[in-house]
Amino acid sequence: MLKRLSACIREYKTPALMTLLFIVGEAVIEAIIPFLTARLVNEIKGGIDMNEVLRLGAVLIVLAICSLACGGLAGFTCARASNGFAKNVRHDLFHKVQEFSFENIDKFSSSSLVTRMTTDVNNVEMAFMMLIRIAVRSPLMLIFSIIMAYVMGGMLATSFVVIIPVLVFGLAMIAKKAMPAFRAVFKKYDRLNESVEENVRAMRVVKGFSREEYEKKKFGKASDDIRDDFTRAERIVALNSPLMQLCIYANMVFVLMVGSRLVITLRGTLIDVGQISAMLTYGMQILMSLMMLSMIYVMLTMSAESAKRIYEVLSEEPALHDPASNPVEQVKNGSIDFEQVSFKYSAKAEKYALSGVDLHIRSGMTVGILGGTGTGKTTLVQLIPRLYDATEGTVRVGGVDVRDYNLKTLRDAVAMVLQKNELFSGTIAENLRWGASDASEEELEAACRLAQVDDFVRSLPDGYQTKIEQGGTNVSGGQKQRLCIARALLKKPKILILDDSTSAVDTRTDALIREGFFNYIPETTKLIIAQRVASVKDADMILVMDGGRIVATGTHDELMVYSPIYRETYEQQTKGGEDHAES
């Protein structure tokens, strides 16, 4: 894990190393200053002339300026290194997620991935900053201060031998008690983000059912859980301060009492006022270093949990890979073959989503797919662009096993329009050019005319330069579907899959869109999943699915004779239409 995360430092190694050098310089100087200060105090007591006082004073000022410069430069280089490290971690996480298949995405919830790219990365960034700055400075200051305390105070420095173990033990116990609460917080962050994400995405549903109060209570509960865990942990961590104060003042009292007695009784022959002053300073430095180390320990323990969550994503192997050697780089045509294909979403799943599918579709055919909810229609078409791999059997496109294609080549040859397709923030033209990045204005307009959305776009004040809000919330469901269809048409794919993608448009518009397909992409294989029989009635072949199986295939006329499911669906919809017309 550490090796993988440290690889994210990359081009920021130089500022990270410079930070370490500046910190070492600052620690050395701060250890020397009390020593020179003690010498100055003793020299003044002994009656030196003003020139010597000014000389030592000037040296102390120069050292103080150097210490300040080292600390400032360390802060600058540390900020650059830690922020750059965090940028690289986010970069690697995002690029890794782009490689994931649906199977990998299913393993991590979207809210959890958001938490890992934000909160967890911030925690790891803070830990990295502390490691290259405070985690170096504190041990150095501790070591230098103990050495200098013995140099200046001799046996008087033995007080630290008693106080340091007490402080270390107390801080370790505090950290041990606080850690379980900190660890519990991260999963609760996932639930909080999930609550926010669901609420914002489904705001229309929330308001439509007047469930605002319910959502507020759900969010409040998740927020309260996080608050309670943090409060519990921070109450324990808050004991750091009184423990530190106790040790600091106990050390000060001991040094002052014993040191003063030695100065008075021995008349400064063994220890003098300057040494006592230095001892107090070194004692403060030692104890503050220990306090900083305890803070680092708490932060690193928290960050270790975040680092594990980040590493889980970075080390996740995509479920789908390009072939190890000689991937096929061209899709010959849009023919599709399923040979004894069965599929389930998880190896642990007891039930297959598809079972024993045998299907052969010639290139250029229009194929309708009908069936009730949960019958496997969407699962079937998702195997074609290899969004999932078949659990058993083989799926072929253009006569080639889909597992033998370069993934990008295969998916470039297939366009999918889903019932809940997404539009992205940007202009309408930018969204359409997802289908063809170099498409001209004329091509955009032609695709929109075929998708029956050109008139709508032209009616907007800015036309094709109209801004689409995140998720396409400023257009209706039908307008969004038609824009997504236009986007797919611009791709000019070998295979076009429409997954109930005209459900939000009227039957007349639906018919015009299908007519446009025949004229614009006659050689493209078209698979149309629909709830309305009218949408697939004229297809070259219609599949009827039930329970993850294809139970009937044929034309409309053939299925009306041989398929009770199809006939019943057609009669119900036709009767419904007649009843509606009569009313």
Side-chain angles (χ1 to χ4, degrees), residues 42 96 105 141 204 216 281 288 307 355 373 409 482 530 574:
N42 289 336
K96 189 70 174 184
I105 295 294
M141 286 300 300
R204 288 173 173 79
K216 287 177 185 176
T281 304
M288 290 305 295
S355 299
T373 302
T409 299
R482 284 178 284 162
T574 305

Side-chain angles (χ1 to χ4, degrees), residues 102 345 367-385 387 414-421 481 484-485 488 495-504 510 517 526-532 535-536 545:
F102 281 9
Y345 284 97
V367 179
I369 306 175
L370 287 175
T373 302
T375 54
K377 305 184 298 296
T378 298
T379 303
L380 180 77
V381 297
Q382 285 180 339
L383 299 182
I384 296 169
L387 299 179
V414 181
M416 291 187 73
V417 185
L418 308 175
Q419 182 181 7
K420 295 181 180 179
N421 230 315
Q481 284 187 337
C484 290
I485 290 170
I495 299 170
L496 175 65
I497 299 171
L498 304 177
D499 188 353
D500 208 10
S501 55
T502 56
S503 59
D510 184 15
F517 291 162
K526 298 164 277 290
L527 281 72
I528 304 171
I529 297 175
Q531 299 295 329
R532 296 186 296 221
S535 298
V536 298
M545 297 194 67

Side-chain angles (χ1 to χ4, degrees), residues 26 64 80 221 303 404 414 443 521 531-532 566:
E26 183 186 21
R80 178 171 171 76
K221 184 178 184 304
S303 301
D404 293 335
V414 181
E443 288 174 318
I521 46 173
Q531 299 295 329
R532 296 186 296 221
Y566 183 85

Side-chain angles (χ1 to χ4, degrees), residues 73-123:
L73 290 170
F76 176 78
T77 54
C78 179
R80 178 171 171 76
S82 59
N83 282 286
F85 169 72
K87 181 204 74 172
N88 287 343
V89 173
R90 290 192 189 95
H91 171 277
D92 290 0
L93 280 171
F94 188 79
H95 280 246
K96 189 70 174 184
V97 170
Q98 300 308 304
E99 297 174 5
F100 283 175
S101 67
F102 281 9
E103 182 179 333
N104 299 112
I105 295 294
D106 293 342
K107 181 176 177 180
F108 302 100
S109 69
S110 57
S111 59
S112 178
L113 288 172
V114 169
T115 304
R116 292 168 202 243
M117 289 191 196
T118 52
T119 304
D120 288 333
V121 171
N122 288 340
N123 287 337

